[in-house]
Amino acid sequence: MIPLSDLEILIRSWHPLIFVETHEEERLQILVQEVAVRLGFPIYTWTATEGLRRGGTAPGLYDSHVPLKALQNIASLTAAALYLLKDFHRYLEDAVLVRKVRDLCPAFSRDGRTLIISGPSIAVPAELQRVGVTFRLDLPGEPELKDLVERSLPR
């Protein structure tokens, strides 16, 4: 399967937490946006420098560049949505942040929200291993390249 299908299946399966290992952050952003469009969900993107932003372009929510405050903001948004936290894996050694992520998961699995944590390599804390799934976004393979070529050719 191509990564878009795999990622969409994980999200449609109501997994509250997905760890995505990839060096291709921009490609992941595009895939998450495509899934969000297919599902009719808004997407929020978080980075330590920009904070939490709806659609990746709106101004960041006030003071949301701080990881705990970003998670608190996410907790207050109860509609189905996708939350892409770029490089958040660096903060998973903080017991308070791990606890907050774990606290979010039951509500997320009930209401269709998905927290996506991305990074090149993610050491998943033991507390999150049962509530999250890991997805590896490798370089494009033959099926994905073929799909790209077919979509690019005029009909």
Side-chain angles (χ1 to χ4, degrees), residues 104-119:
L104 290 173
C105 287
F108 274 37
S109 62
R110 285 191 305 270
D111 61 24
R113 290 181 285 169
T114 303
L115 194 64
I116 302 167
I117 296 175
S118 71

Side-chain angles (χ1 to χ4, degrees), residues 20-45:
V20 179
E21 292 186 342
T22 186
H23 290 279
E24 297 187 276
E25 192 173 82
E26 187 174 323
R27 184 166 156 240
L28 174 62
Q29 177 80 40
I30 291 167
L31 288 174
V32 172
Q33 286 172 335
E34 287 182 31
V35 171
V37 167
R38 286 180 180 206
L39 299 175
F41 288 178
I43 178 174
Y44 292 82
T45 302

Side-chain angles (χ1 to χ4, degrees), residues 5 17 33 41 51 57 69 78 82 98:
S5 299
L17 178 59
Q33 286 172 335
F41 288 178
T57 58
K69 290 185 180 185
T78 58
L82 304 180
V98 169

Side-chain angles (χ1 to χ4, degrees), residues 146-155:
K146 181 179 178 185
D147 181 58
L148 178 64
V149 169
E150 289 175 356
R151 286 188 290 144
S152 300
L153 293 174
R155 302 257 173 197

